[in-house]
Amino acid sequence: MDSHSKSGQFWKIKQVTDSMALVAELCGHFYKMGWVSGTGGAMSVRLHHLGLIIMTPSGVQKERMTAEDMFVKCSDGSDFIIPPVKASPHKPPKCSDCNPLFMKIYEMRNAGAIIHSHAMEACLVTMIRPLSKDFRITHMEMIKGIEGHGYYDELIVPIIENAAQEGELINSITEVLEAYPRTNAVVVRNHGVFIWGESWISAKTQAECYHYLFDAAIKLHQLGMDWSTPSHGPIKRSS
Ligand SMILES: CSC[C@@H](O)[C@@H](O)C(=O)COP(=O)(O)O
Ligand SMILES: [Zn+2]
């Protein structure tokens, strides 16, 4: 290998290891936001140009991960890097249970990063209206932070029902990705939310906006105001 190819290889390896470290760092931040507590939640970043996908491990303290805890997969889902087994009392590393869901989102959307959050506000907003098939909100400045949306637009986010195991959500996620072609988030009732963007920056920015909007909706509801109408006027109670 000539020195030019060697330096190319070096920079590719550095991009992968830097991204593994970035996911660990971001999860530490998300923990402080209440998005990944109790080992819940997960994250993935896709390096399109290298054909590689980074995913967090399963069932670990998401705020304490380091770069070497990350799984790296090829675009077809096969393993590229499996983290080393750590000494007892750690269990052998296992890739996130979100793996099939992340792969489905990558397959159906041109995403560069996906965040799965277990934030309380993402749960509660689905419980206030237990029969609703989607979350709708309009006339809130933070809607402008969601790609392709303006202040006056109605933001519509599909809600799917939860299941005992993360992998069992695959059919319902696939259905709503088809039924809601504009969405870049799916809320899972009583569970959390999946949010993606073309880059980790876009996914993080939008995740902040979605969490803000869920929180605002809950607070508007507590104030007796209807979050889904333009005026956010009093909630109309059906008799
Ligand atoms: C509190 S456990 C939550 C898990 O079952 C799951 O919902 C989750 O989000 C994280 O799964 P993981 O396999 O750790 O990535
Ligand atoms: Zn989850």
Side-chain angles (χ1 to χ4, degrees), residues 40-41 98 116 118 166 191 194:
C98 299
H116 172 43
H118 274 209
E166 208 97 3
H191 179 156
F194 291 82

Side-chain angles (χ1 to χ4, degrees), residues 39-42 97-98 101 116-118 162 166 169 188 191-194:
T39 79
D97 287 346
C98 299
L101 309 176
H116 172 43
S117 160
H118 274 209
N162 198 24
E166 208 97 3
L169 300 172
V188 186
H191 179 156
V193 58
F194 291 82

Side-chain angles (χ1 to χ4, degrees), residues 33-36 41 115-130 132 134-135 157-162 185-195 206-219 227:
M33 306 286 287
W35 297 2
V36 295
I115 297 166
H116 172 43
S117 160
H118 274 209
M120 177 76 79
E121 54 267 38
C123 275
L124 291 182
V125 85
T126 66
M127 299 166 87
I128 293 171
R129 297 183 181 179
S132 59
D134 44 42
F135 168 78
V157 191
I159 300 172
I160 60 171
E161 301 306 316
N162 198 24
V186 175
V187 193
V188 186
R189 199 181 311 280
N190 305 0
H191 179 156
V193 58
F194 291 82
I195 299 161
Q206 293 187 88
E208 286 162 2
C209 293
Y210 277 114
H211 284 80
Y212 176 101
L213 292 165
F214 298 151
D215 193 28
I218 294 161
K219 289 186 172 126
W227 75 64

Side-chain angles (χ1 to χ4, degrees), residues 8-189:
Q9 284 295 95
F10 170 80
W11 289 112
K12 281 182 189 165
I13 292 165
K14 181 158 166 39
Q15 282 175 46
V16 178
T17 53
D18 283 356
S19 300
M20 293 160 85
L22 176 69
V23 172
E25 181 201 326
L26 289 172
C27 285
H29 174 67
F30 298 156
Y31 179 81
K32 292 188 190 124
M33 306 286 287
W35 297 2
V36 295
S37 60
T39 79
M43 187 177 182
S44 176
V45 166
R46 183 179 200 176
L47 304 172
H48 279 288
H49 55 299
L50 299 179
L52 295 173
I53 293 169
I54 295 163
M55 288 190 198
T56 48
S58 180
V60 306
Q61 309 279 307
K62 300 283 167 28
E63 76 282 15
R64 303 200 67 217
M65 297 181 301
T66 63
E68 68 166 16
D69 293 315
M70 298 300 149
F71 281 76
V72 184
K73 298 197 166 279
C74 301
S75 302
D76 64 4
S78 58
D79 290 324
F80 185 71
I81 299 174
I82 298 174
V85 178
K86 290 189 176 170
S88 179
H90 297 286
K91 291 176 277 188
K94 175 175 170 282
C95 189
S96 172
D97 287 346
C98 299
N99 174 5
L101 309 176
F102 287 161
M103 293 306 285
K104 182 53 75 177
I105 293 168
Y106 284 132
E107 180 195 318
M108 295 183 69
R109 296 288 201 269
N110 193 31
I114 308 167
I115 297 166
H116 172 43
S117 160
H118 274 209
M120 177 76 79
E121 54 267 38
C123 275
L124 291 182
V125 85
T126 66
M127 299 166 87
I128 293 171
R129 297 183 181 179
L131 300 178
S132 59
K133 294 285 174 213
D134 44 42
F135 168 78
R136 293 173 183 242
I137 195 162
T138 185
H139 288 62
M140 291 285 290
E141 182 68 6
M142 290 295 257
I143 293 172
K144 287 160 67 177
I146 307 301
E147 299 213 341
H149 288 78
Y151 173 77
Y152 297 106
D153 290 334
E154 184 179 43
L155 175 69
I156 304 174
V157 191
I159 300 172
I160 60 171
E161 301 306 316
N162 198 24
Q165 301 298 327
E166 208 97 3
E168 293 171 33
L169 300 172
I170 190 78
N171 290 340
S172 41
I173 284 224
T174 306
E175 279 166 25
V176 294
L177 288 173
E178 281 165 0
Y180 295 77
R182 283 187 74 195
T183 197
N184 49 20
V186 175
V187 193
V188 186
R189 199 181 311 280

